[in-house]
Amino acid sequence: MTADSHALTTAEHSPIAGLAHDARGGISNPILGMLLFITSEVMFFAGLFGAYFSARAQNTPWPPEEFAHTLNPLSLILVATVILVLSSVTCQMAVNAIRRDDRAGFLRNMSVTVILGIAFLLMQAYDYLLLADEGLTLNAGSFGTTYYTLTGFHGAHVFGGVLMLSVILYRGMAGQFSSRHHDAVEAASLYWHFVDVVWIVLFSVLYLL
Amino acid sequence: MSSSPRPRSASDLILIAILVVTMGALIIGALATGFMDGMFPPEAVTRQGREIRSLYDIVFWIAAVIFVFVEVLIVYSVLRYRRKPGQDELPVQTHGHNVLEVIWTVVPTVIVAYLFVISLQTLNSIDAVAKSPDIHIRAVAQQFRWQFDYLAEDGVTTLFTEDVATSDQGGGMHVPVGANVQLQLTSPDVIHAFYVPKFLFKRDVVPGITNRFDFTIDPAEAGQTFRGQCAELCGTGHRVMLLDVVAMTPADYEAWKAAKIEQAGATPAPSASAGPVAVTLEETAAGIKFTTKSLEVTADQAFAIDFKNEDPASVPHDVDIRAADGSVLADQPTIDGGTATTYTYAALPAGTYTFICSVHPFPDMTGTLTVK
Amino acid sequence: MATTTLHPAAATYKSGLYEWLTTTDHKKIGIMYVVNSFIFFFIGGLLALGVRAELAQPGLQFLTDEHLYNQVFTMHATVMIFLFIIPMLAGFGNYIVPLQIGAPDMAFPRINAMSLWMLPLAGVILLSGFLLGGTAAAGWTSYPPLSEDRILASTGPGQDLWITALILIGTSSILGSINFLVTIFKMRAPGMTLFRMPIMVWTVLVTSVLVMMATPVITSALIMLFIDRNLGGHFFDPSTGGNAVLYQNVFWFYSHPAVYVMVLPAMGMISEILPTFSRKPLFGYKAFVFATAGIGALGFSVWAHHMFTTGAVFLPFFSLMTFLIAVPTGVKMFNWIFTLVRGQLTFSTPLLFALGFLSMFLIGGINGAFSASVPVDYALHDTYWVVAHLHYVLFGGSAFGVFAGLYYWFPKMTGRMLDETLGKIQFVLMFIGFNLTFFPMHVLGLQGMPRRIADYASGAGWNDLNLAATVGGFLIAASMLPFLWNVFVSLRSGKIAGDDPWEGNTLEWATSSPPPPYNFDRLPEIRSERPVFDQRHGHGAGGHK
């Protein structure tokens, strides 16, 4: 393919870009794509939660007696929860900063978000070690299997989110975002909020309910 | 659609005539050749099965009428509305017709609502489970055989067990006609399904769940045997999970049951007196396979097989002998994995026989016994 | 039609291998989807012939290793569903949708390329089991505990390869569906309002919603199964506190909507072809759109009709929903037929396959209503009746639709027509072979022949019908020979198609064949769902009713 035709394969650079967009404008492609992706992720977690509630309905008592006090909400996990919620706040502050064209504020808040995300992951890993010491492992009956599957896949999503935000941070440091051009930031922050909300639901169901 | 219909030309009338004649010939041909018989399940032999059959017949005839109507409509439209040479002017651009569209939304809705209601009525009748049925049987489905535990009135205590599932091997689930039999279904391993085509019924056997259903065999069926088999893929031996339901008169059933209870009470006799053993062979089962696939013994002399089962404890095996026609000549008890035993066999006349694991009767666990 | 040479744009399709491997052009990606799907169609077909060869007569003759037999039918279904039908329809969607809505490409071209390349990778992973000690053998449904890692169930790597491949394909589908949705919502040409979109686009839209909402759910089931098998989890094994029926619920929550994923785009293709060849608009466009959306919505509430015999689902609700889905399906059937009525039909090969779709899908739809009636399903479930039913839907429906679409859009894709005579030979062979294979299976099922068995007693009375089905299967295989020859010959020396060989209605016929990389030099004014018809005859030509 020739150089000019190559440029035509993405809508943004096409000379007929006018054709490519809804006349009504509206939400941008990356953000709509991310919202739809989050919808599918919601369904993924719905499948896992379905399995969890099925196991919970079938096995009484829940938690089993040997783990009756293992999952204590007032422990390290509460700190981790607060950290993740805070990271969502700083993430939004970063988005608000770039909307105002405040690049320094954007970079500062995004860095804090990434660090908080990493801190959450480390705390979760440490918490896994503590739980394993108490005998709660992946193969400790339905209780252990569902606990680790739900929190593990949430952790994997946090890890994915940290990677995504790191890329955003890197691109931000390279000066790629401005108040007019920061769809990727908005999309990544949506994903990060989603991960945060999943954790709040998870925490409520696993530790409080 | 509101424009007045175009006058029909002679060729159109001929077309319609051909269509009617062809369809008529097809339908008459179908009826005459017994094709239509193939479109119905076999005559049911249980009360519940007959109800399902009545429902099937209603569903079938409604479906058949709809099918013929729509298919004729398709064929007619295709033949009638060919583009003719020189037809360059566009046909009328019909975008829709509200009345027609409402009709073909409402009419199917009414039909399926009717089908739903009659299905639900039948369902409530055939799925009804009696609190105190006449007979309790527990069918245990495991890879790859059926076993029938006959239970006491409490539905829990086992009176005796029929562990041979097919009648050609002298077993089968024996039940009296006219009695309300309740079958409990359990599986220790994977999902199976209890299926007897002439019951027009199947029910999954799900590990962890005990499914139950009732059936009553029609009195006229006494003396009949109904074949069934596992209907849910359960592994390599899925197709050999055959079973027979043997319908008996109540009197025959009581006699059979009494004999079975007596047999169960007696100490299990060692397998038929085999006489002095002339030769001892060796056989090992590992990975659901016999390691030796052919054995040889001398004619008219009793013999023995030292049998080792090297599979996990949950996998039983045995070494039975069958004649070429499939009849069982020696039926040995199974042994669990990780154990060994010596089976003794009565003398056999010269010939070629099959030795086989009755739990896993497929090629890997089948061998040739040559007697000469 | 006066054109005698290929459009200059055809030159870009002759570019080198590297160009094809790295392209982000939706048209090339669409073509590669189609080619890839056909490769897997032939692989899946050979596996099916293996099954039919074994069942031709009683006794074990061909696949004498029954474990291999189980692998073969498991792979046949998995390949046909996940590597043929779903990607094939996604491929047509990829090629057609941007053209039909007047867009220059998909919304995310690079993600589009990634979705494509995950498929052959998944196929290789799936089938590598044959070389690595056995593929999955627990059926394409892979119900645990049979699919768990234990003796007499699914030891060895095959089942894990199956899980991995399906997660890959699922991810590809999810990314593809998001791509379609953003493309359809955001990249329509000016004037292309939602209710002027071609039905094909509507069906892809509804399909994409189904894929996006349902596929992640099966991904979760597959992951749980993987955890059970490899990490000592206890989701599905009742002997360790799991629940075997749970998997079925989660599996069918995806896999029933997946049936509509496999048939809706084919319906969309038929809905493009019938109007073109009858020179009339689709009868009841809006009703058709609502019927499609209705099927999509109801599709999420009928999954447990695959589980009526488990004794573990709420029967009346799922029975009612399953019956109700017949209504929008029936609406579509009548819309199609009344598109033909008072039209001017030209019997080109695409129309033949489309009519094949109508008459065969009709059978698949009607015999589906039998299984909606729970008591009747007790008799028919897991017998060859169900095998007949699903093939009438997925082969008689979807596969006939795919061939209709291929004959219809091949000129657009390549600039050359497929040969009509060879096409008609293929159609006749395939139509007869198909019915000879699958119609007898209704009877076999009624007589009590269960699915997924390698052998049956010769006294069961099933010999003749099985032999007929096997002969039919080989006839279907034979029908592929004229098809392959047709493609081979037509690519080299087929008649030059020109922009609009069929007098089509939708925007893809407004550009050259093949279209240039940016799709359109200029777009006609879009004032209805048939912009090219309006351009040809004038808006409102032929009278509006």
Side-chain angles (χ1 to χ4, degrees):
Chain A
M1 216 190 280
T2 55
D4 75 323
S5 64
H6 189 76
L8 293 173
T9 53
T10 55
E12 294 95 298
H13 308 296
S14 162
I16 51 167
L19 295 179
H21 287 282
D22 201 310
R24 291 162 305 217
I27 195 167
S28 80
N29 289 5
I31 292 174
L32 179 60
M34 180 56 80
L35 286 173
L36 295 172
F37 181 67
I38 288 171
T39 312
S40 82
E41 290 278 35
V42 167
M43 293 307 291
F44 173 78
F45 278 102
L48 294 183
F49 272 108
Y52 170 82
F53 283 109
S54 160
R56 186 169 175 148
Q58 194 183 332
N59 293 282
T60 45
W62 188 276
E65 275 164 27
E66 66 263 40
F67 301 125
H69 304 291
T70 311
L71 295 185
N72 177 12
L74 299 176
S75 64
L76 182 65
I77 209 71
L78 187 64
V79 182
T81 305
V82 171
I83 283 180
L84 198 62
V85 173
L86 275 180
S87 79
S88 227
V89 175
T90 57
C91 185
Q92 196 54 41
M93 285 162 68
V95 173
N96 291 342
I98 197 69
R99 282 179 189 161
R100 292 189 309 266
D101 236 355
D102 171 8
R103 294 188 197 193
F106 163 69
L107 293 177
R108 195 171 54 241
N109 281 302
M110 193 50 80
S111 313
V112 173
T113 309
V114 170
I115 290 166
L116 290 176
I118 294 170
F120 174 85
L121 285 174
L122 291 174
M123 291 174 94
Q124 196 180 30
Y126 182 65
D127 195 49
Y128 276 5
L129 292 178
L130 295 180
L131 292 175
D133 277 348
E134 294 187 52
L136 184 62
T137 57
L138 183 83
N139 41 25
S142 294
F143 189 71
T145 305
T146 50
Y147 176 81
Y148 280 98
T149 305
L150 278 168
T151 55
F153 271 93
H154 175 264
H157 281 76
V158 174
F159 182 72
V162 167
L163 285 184
M164 205 184 284
L165 294 180
S166 304
V167 171
I168 295 293
L169 184 60
Y170 174 81
R171 290 180 60 187
M173 288 193 290
Q176 292 187 9
F177 299 122
S178 69
S179 62
R180 290 179 60 115
H181 182 87
H182 62 276
D183 282 349
V185 181
E186 300 268 0
S189 83
L190 283 174
Y191 183 79
W192 191 251
H193 293 323
F194 158 73
V195 168
D196 190 24
V197 169
V198 170
W199 177 256
I200 291 169
V201 175
L202 256 177
F203 180 76
S204 311
V205 168
L206 292 176
Y207 286 85
L208 304 177
L209 199 64
Chain B
M1 297 298 292
S2 56
S3 67
S4 60
R6 283 172 289 176
R8 297 202 186 285
S9 65
S11 71
D12 291 338
L13 291 174
I14 293 173
L15 184 65
I16 292 169
I18 291 174
L19 208 58
V20 168
V21 170
T22 316
M23 288 308 297
L26 278 176
I27 291 171
I28 291 167
L31 292 171
T33 54
F35 170 83
M36 291 308 285
D37 296 344
M39 296 315 296
F40 292 93
E43 284 304 323
V45 297
T46 61
R47 174 184 70 76
Q48 290 81 356
R50 273 187 284 112
E51 290 186 34
I52 295 175
R53 176 60 198 266
S54 312
L55 178 64
Y56 177 92
D57 289 356
I58 297 172
V59 175
F60 176 84
W61 285 116
I62 291 177
V65 168
I66 295 172
F67 169 73
V68 171
F69 172 70
V70 179
E71 204 79 68
V72 166
L73 203 57
I74 294 174
V75 174
Y76 170 76
S77 311
V78 166
L79 297 180
R80 168 72 178 75
Y81 298 106
R82 290 156 311 175
R83 186 174 183 179
K84 298 174 181 83
Q87 209 170 26
D88 291 331
E89 201 178 319
L90 281 174
V92 178
Q93 300 293 295
T94 318
H95 285 266
H97 190 279
N98 289 342
V99 175
L100 266 181
E101 291 177 58
V102 168
I103 288 174
W104 67 52
T105 309
V106 170
V107 171
T109 309
V110 171
I111 293 175
V112 296
Y114 168 70
L115 289 176
F116 170 70
V117 169
I118 58 169
S119 298
L120 203 59
Q121 286 169 345
T122 307
L123 180 66
N124 288 336
S125 167
I126 61 169
D127 262 1
V129 180
K131 279 226 175 71
S132 49
D134 301 331
I135 293 172
H136 284 280
I137 303 175
R138 183 196 301 123
V140 182
Q142 56 186 304
Q143 292 168 315
F144 298 100
R145 65 197 178 114
W146 297 92
Q147 171 185 313
F148 302 102
D149 298 339
Y150 284 73
L151 308 178
E153 277 179 21
D154 60 1
V156 179
T157 323
T158 304
L159 298 174
F160 64 91
T161 294
E162 172 60 84
D163 62 359
V164 180
T166 53
S167 56
D168 59 354
Q169 295 176 33
M173 186 172 86
H174 292 64
V175 288
V177 298
N180 180 11
V181 182
Q182 186 167 101
L183 202 58
Q184 305 174 12
L185 301 167
T186 63
S187 162
D189 42 48
V190 302
I191 304 173
H192 306 271
F194 180 93
Y195 175 38
V196 177
K198 289 200 170 176
F199 286 17
L200 273 65
F201 187 85
K202 69 179 65 68
R203 179 59 53 85
D204 290 357
V205 190
V206 185
I209 297 176
T210 301
N211 276 328
R212 294 160 199 270
F213 68 93
D214 286 13
F215 66 90
T216 305
I217 296 183
D218 295 336
E221 303 295 338
Q224 299 292 320
T225 298
F226 311 115
R227 122 198 121 65
Q229 70 189 101
C230 178
E232 178 69 56
L233 178 66
C234 60
T236 310
H238 171 48
R239 75 169 168 92
V240 301
M241 271 188 76
L242 305 175
L243 66 97
D244 283 317
V245 177
V246 181
M248 307 175 97
T249 61
D252 286 351
Y253 173 75
E254 287 306 324
W256 176 84
K257 181 178 162 187
K260 278 286 179 182
I261 290 175
E262 192 182 341
Q263 204 181 329
T267 48
S271 57
S273 60
V277 171
V279 59
T280 301
L281 306 168
E282 287 185 2
E283 180 59 272
T284 307
I288 330 281
K289 285 178 182 173
F290 283 135
T291 50
T292 311
K293 299 277 282 182
S294 66
L295 295 170
E296 213 175 278
V297 294
T298 317
D300 306 320
Q301 288 192 5
F303 60 99
I305 295 178
D306 278 339
F307 179 58
K308 268 193 293 195
N309 179 352
E310 294 181 349
D311 276 322
S314 62
V315 182
H317 294 301
D318 63 4
V319 185
D320 289 358
I321 293 175
R322 294 190 187 163
D325 64 358
S327 59
V328 180
L329 302 175
D331 181 14
Q332 302 287 8
T334 59
I335 59 168
D336 287 341
T339 62
T341 191
T342 301
Y343 292 130
T344 54
Y345 300 85
L348 291 167
T352 305
Y353 302 85
T354 302
F355 67 90
I356 189 164
C357 169
S358 65
V359 187
H360 310 106
F362 39 87
D364 279 347
M365 295 214 72
T366 308
T368 314
L369 176 72
T370 315
V371 182
K372 55 183 178 187
Chain C
M1 295 292 283
T3 331
T4 51
T5 51
L6 280 179
H7 190 272
T12 60
Y13 292 83
K14 291 215 155 59
S15 49
L17 182 66
Y18 179 79
E19 176 54 40
W20 279 90
L21 293 180
T22 56
T23 185
T24 56
D25 179 347
H26 76 97
K27 296 180 292 302
K28 289 187 176 178
I29 288 174
I31 290 171
M32 285 191 285
Y33 258 104
V34 170
V35 171
N36 177 65
S37 305
F38 265 116
I39 292 171
F40 283 104
F41 177 60
F42 294 128
I43 293 174
L46 288 176
L47 293 166
L49 290 184
V51 171
R52 281 318 320 166
E54 178 49 57
L55 291 173
Q57 46 179 317
L60 293 174
Q61 302 88 12
F62 183 67
L63 293 170
T64 50
D65 176 350
E66 291 183 60
H67 188 60
L68 181 61
Y69 177 85
N70 289 1
Q71 295 173 34
V72 168
F73 73 66
T74 301
M75 286 303 113
H76 161 68
T78 308
V79 165
M80 286 302 200
I81 291 169
F82 294 107
L83 289 165
F84 164 55
I85 302 181
I86 293 178
M88 177 65 90
L89 297 171
F92 274 103
N94 237 301
Y95 191 93
I96 304 297
V97 165
L99 286 171
Q100 285 195 334
I101 61 173
D105 204 321
M106 296 281 281
F108 306 109
R110 281 174 294 190
I111 289 179
N112 201 23
M114 185 165 86
S115 300
L116 164 71
W117 290 110
M118 287 163 102
L119 295 169
L121 175 66
V124 169
I125 290 173
L126 179 73
L127 295 170
S128 64
F130 281 122
L131 304 174
L132 299 173
T135 65
W140 81 275
T141 49
S142 283
Y143 284 177
L146 186 61
S147 53
E148 298 275 6
D149 178 16
R150 65 183 200 202
I151 187 91
L152 284 176
S154 299
T155 53
Q159 194 68 48
D160 292 318
L161 294 170
W162 181 88
I163 292 171
T164 312
L166 257 62
I167 290 177
L168 260 180
I169 296 167
T171 310
S172 157
S173 293
I174 293 170
L175 294 177
S177 68
I178 293 171
N179 217 339
F180 277 128
L181 288 172
V182 176
T183 306
I184 294 170
F185 283 131
K186 296 292 300 173
M187 298 183 60
R188 299 192 307 278
M192 180 61 78
T193 59
L194 282 176
F195 281 102
R196 288 180 193 162
M197 294 197 310
I199 291 293
M200 171 79 188
V201 179
W202 268 110
T203 55
V204 171
L205 171 67
V206 173
T207 299
S208 298
V209 172
L210 292 177
V211 169
M212 181 185 74
M213 306 281 286
T215 317
V217 179
I218 197 183
T219 305
S220 76
L222 295 170
I223 281 171
M224 289 186 258
L225 186 58
F226 189 86
I227 289 172
D228 264 16
R229 289 176 52 82
N230 296 288
L231 303 171
H234 304 291
F235 282 110
F236 303 131
D237 194 338
S239 60
T240 56
N243 181 344
V245 179
L246 169 65
Y247 173 90
Q248 297 186 23
N249 274 305
V250 187
F251 178 86
W252 287 112
F253 185 84
Y254 161 76
S255 291
H256 196 80
V259 173
Y260 302 116
V261 170
M262 288 183 263
V263 82
L264 285 178
M267 291 176 164
M269 290 150 97
I270 299 307
S271 309
E272 298 301 314
I273 291 167
L274 294 180
T276 297
F277 290 97
S278 71
R279 305 182 82 206
K280 278 179 64 208
L282 184 73
F283 194 92
Y285 171 95
K286 279 204 178 171
F288 201 97
V289 170
F290 289 125
T292 305
I295 289 177
L298 286 171
F300 277 111
S301 55
V302 299
W303 78 87
H305 70 217
H306 298 268
M307 301 161 57
F308 282 160
T309 63
T310 57
V313 293
F314 183 61
L315 301 167
F317 172 77
F318 289 104
S319 173
L320 178 63
M321 288 296 147
T322 308
F323 271 124
L324 282 182
I325 220 159
V327 175
T329 316
V331 166
K332 291 184 166 198
M333 184 57 78
F334 288 112
N335 282 339
W336 286 322
I337 294 173
F338 275 77
T339 304
L340 304 177
V341 168
R342 300 194 175 175
Q344 296 167 356
L345 300 178
T346 317
F347 292 94
S348 300
T349 312
L351 182 67
L352 289 185
F353 277 102
L355 295 172
F357 174 103
L358 284 196
S359 50
M360 296 300 100
F361 182 77
L362 172 67
I363 297 180
I366 287 181
N367 63 16
F370 285 68
S371 296
S373 170
V374 182
V376 175
D377 184 69
Y378 285 167
L380 304 177
H381 182 70
D382 268 334
T383 68
Y384 261 84
W385 170 282
V386 173
V387 180
H389 162 64
L390 73 92
H391 282 95
Y392 267 89
V393 173
L394 295 182
F395 196 124
S398 305
F400 273 78
V402 163
F403 280 104
L406 192 83
Y407 277 91
Y408 185 60
W409 280 298
F410 186 91
K412 182 52 60 182
M413 292 175 174
T414 65
R416 291 180 186 277
M417 309 291 289
L418 283 167
D419 184 77
E420 279 289 311
T421 311
L422 285 168
K424 281 167 183 161
I425 293 173
Q426 183 204 349
F427 172 75
V428 170
L429 284 176
M430 198 165 128
F431 190 81
I432 296 172
F434 169 76
N435 282 293
L436 189 56
T437 310
F438 297 109
F439 201 85
M441 290 185 185
H442 289 110
V443 182
L444 286 171
L446 288 168
Q447 290 176 358
M449 181 168 168
R451 306 167 71 170
R452 296 170 169 175
I453 55 173
D455 192 20
Y456 46 91
S458 67
W462 303 336
N463 301 8
D464 297 345
L465 292 170
N466 270 301
L467 185 60
T470 301
V471 171
F474 280 86
L475 204 54
I476 296 175
S479 76
M480 290 302 125
L481 300 177
F483 167 67
L484 286 173
W485 177 245
N486 197 350
V487 170
F488 178 75
V489 171
S490 301
L491 273 178
R492 288 163 162 253
S493 55
K495 202 171 95 187
I496 303 293
D499 294 357
D500 185 10
W502 309 117
E503 301 201 342
N505 295 323
T506 41
L507 284 179
E508 75 269 31
W509 307 109
T511 185
S512 63
S513 304
Y518 46 88
N519 286 354
F520 294 98
D521 284 326
R522 62 180 192 84
L523 282 167
E525 196 182 358
I526 300 163
R527 295 173 65 193
S528 74
E529 81 278 16
R530 299 189 295 164
V532 177
F533 175 91
D534 294 343
Q535 190 181 39
R536 189 184 312 115
H537 299 287
H539 187 56
H544 258 278
K545 296 274 169 170

